[in-house]
Amino acid sequence: MKEVPSGIDLFEEIARLKRDRNAVILAHYYQEPDIQDVADYIGDSLGLSQEAAKTPADVIVFAGVHFMAETAKILNPSKKVVLPDLEAGCSLADGCPADLFGALKARHPDHFVISYINCTAAVKALSDVICTSSNAEKIVRSVPASRPILFAPDRNLGAYLVKKTGREMLLWQGTCVVHETFSERRIVELKVEHPDAKLIAHPECEEAVLRHADFIGSTTGLLQFAIKNDATKLIVATEAGILHQMRKACPGKTFIPAPPTSSCSCNECPFMKRHTLEKLYLAMRDLAPEVTLPEELRLGALAPIERMLELS
Ligand code: 13P
Ligand code: SF4
């Protein structure tokens, strides 16, 4: 395993490498606080894709999970995209293998295929359009009423969209290992304990949790709600990493992370948290591990991503 030389100041070294390599650090809100603090841009999946699409940098250092870095590479074939830990996957992407998804699609040839961005490039290439949690409703509504829809891979986001839009959809039965652990019973107990608190939740949570929410949105949506809403106390049902930006933006407010079923730290994404400041430094120093993909696959996945960016 590669080691960081002793005695170096990681923050200074990362800043120097950023200049020397003309690199940009894109980070998701679920990253550890130190990584968020060195990032040039922090955002949700849509914001990160939009930022990746327009960056003038030569190197994109992606502090997020693999499908996010892969999307950045699909949009930037000539740039180097590095991911500090290549094993940073996602249970939704892992739970939807392209061969099985292709077989389901083949059984429903008349269906319009919408895939949540949390999937592999191979699944994207089988899709008509991609969506994220912040534009999913708009994307579903853009599909002509006459077309049946196949939605993958998150069944909770899918069920939320069916309820919101009234459109029936055939759903792939995938889930997020983090969001499915929130306990309805413990959230209701927290609401009773803090009657003045508002519950805000990510649509990857189960319906049993979402039905108690005062606001449902993407990570950026949740952060914006926390900033703009009058509530001074909020229960947050998403990965706990987002609390760092919420606390920075609203020092006078109280944020309570929603409790999982047991006393585990399952409200932390084990994939997002594979990255550390040390691995980020090494990735910038060595320009590795790099995210690459075959050109034919890239072009197949690019078309539905571009359709999403046009619609967003
Ligand atoms: P957002 O696009 O809302 O940031 O969601 C990404 C994700 O992986 C949530 O678990
Ligand atoms: Fe995937 Fe869930 Fe982690 Fe988001 S929080 S990256 S959906 S496993």
Side-chain angles (χ1 to χ4, degrees), residues 30 65 90-92 118 176-179 204 269 271-272:
Y30 297 166
V65 287
C90 167
S91 66
L92 281 167
N118 299 40
C176 158
V177 282
V178 179
H179 289 85
E204 286 176 16
C269 174
F271 306 105
M272 287 277 184

Side-chain angles (χ1 to χ4, degrees):
M1 225 188 71
K2 287 180 191 164
E3 285 200 10
V4 174
S6 62
I8 68 164
D9 181 325
L10 281 175
F11 292 93
E12 269 176 24
E13 282 302 305
I14 287 169
R16 181 184 64 77
L17 285 165
K18 225 195 281 191
R19 288 191 302 274
D20 291 357
R21 303 230 182 277
N22 187 25
V24 67
I25 302 177
L26 305 183
H28 190 266
Y29 296 113
Y30 297 166
Q31 291 299 301
E32 62 172 49
D34 279 350
I35 293 183
Q36 293 189 35
D37 290 346
V38 297
D40 297 292
Y41 176 85
I42 314 165
D44 65 4
S45 306
L46 179 63
L48 288 163
S49 309
Q50 289 168 328
E51 205 61 27
K54 66 178 191 216
T55 181
D58 297 318
V59 176
I60 299 174
V61 184
F62 218 107
V65 287
H66 190 274
F67 74 81
M68 295 177 174
E70 192 171 60
T71 303
K73 182 64 183 179
I74 291 165
L75 290 163
N76 291 286
S78 61
K79 293 187 199 294
K80 215 175 244 303
V81 176
V82 295
L83 186 64
D85 188 323
L86 264 190
E87 301 295 311
C90 167
S91 66
L92 281 167
D94 294 347
C96 188
D99 55 341
L100 296 185
F101 183 63
L104 178 67
K105 179 181 149 147
R107 290 200 296 279
H108 301 278
D110 54 335
H111 281 52
F112 188 87
V113 181
I114 305 179
S115 290
Y116 187 34
I117 197 164
N118 299 40
C119 64
T120 60
V123 168
K124 288 186 175 76
L126 292 167
S127 310
D128 292 302
V129 67
I130 303 305
C131 73
T132 73
S133 52
S134 62
N135 60 20
E137 186 182 338
K138 195 173 181 185
I139 303 260
V140 170
R141 290 190 193 279
S142 75
V143 180
S146 57
R147 285 293 296 277
I149 299 174
L150 167 57
F151 185 89
D154 186 6
R155 69 165 183 225
N156 291 333
L157 174 62
Y160 166 71
L161 292 167
V162 168
K163 205 171 156 191
K164 195 93 208 247
T165 64
R167 285 292 292 266
E168 274 312 313
M169 301 196 290
L170 177 61
L171 306 179
W172 183 270
Q173 295 296 309
T175 55
C176 158
V177 282
V178 179
H179 289 85
E180 71 176 353
T181 62
F182 294 123
S183 151
E184 180 190 17
R185 188 176 56 80
R186 297 194 62 205
I187 282 176
V188 171
E189 280 169 9
L190 259 187
K191 284 191 82 160
V192 171
E193 209 181 309
H194 304 277
D196 51 334
K198 287 212 163 131
L199 172 67
I200 58 176
H202 195 279
E204 286 176 16
C205 294
E206 288 174 344
E207 154 62 13
V209 167
L210 292 181
R211 65 168 163 248
H212 299 285
D214 296 292
F215 177 76
I216 298 167
S218 77
T219 49
T220 296
L222 299 180
L223 176 61
Q224 289 307 317
F225 181 90
I227 293 170
K228 291 183 188 145
N229 194 267
D230 290 342
T232 54
K233 201 184 266 187
L234 296 111
I235 302 168
V236 184
T238 193
E239 212 267 5
I242 187 119
L243 297 178
H244 182 55
Q245 291 305 320
M246 288 180 174
R247 289 180 175 134
K248 267 172 99 166
C250 315
K253 297 192 179 186
T254 305
F255 296 99
I256 308 167
T261 337
S262 63
S263 55
C264 61
S265 55
C266 345
N267 60 0
E268 301 232 351
C269 174
F271 306 105
M272 287 277 184
K273 296 297 197 293
R274 286 192 71 91
H275 301 314
T276 58
L277 204 59
E278 285 78 6
K279 288 184 193 172
L280 186 96
Y281 158 77
L282 290 170
M284 293 180 78
R285 187 193 70 181
D286 303 343
L287 294 180
E290 198 182 341
V291 174
T292 57
L293 73 172
E295 184 60 6
E296 199 183 331
L297 177 58
R298 188 188 75 80
L299 291 173
L302 179 64
I305 294 173
E306 284 186 333
R307 212 159 292 140
M308 169 188 82
L309 292 174
E310 279 159 26
L311 286 167
S312 298

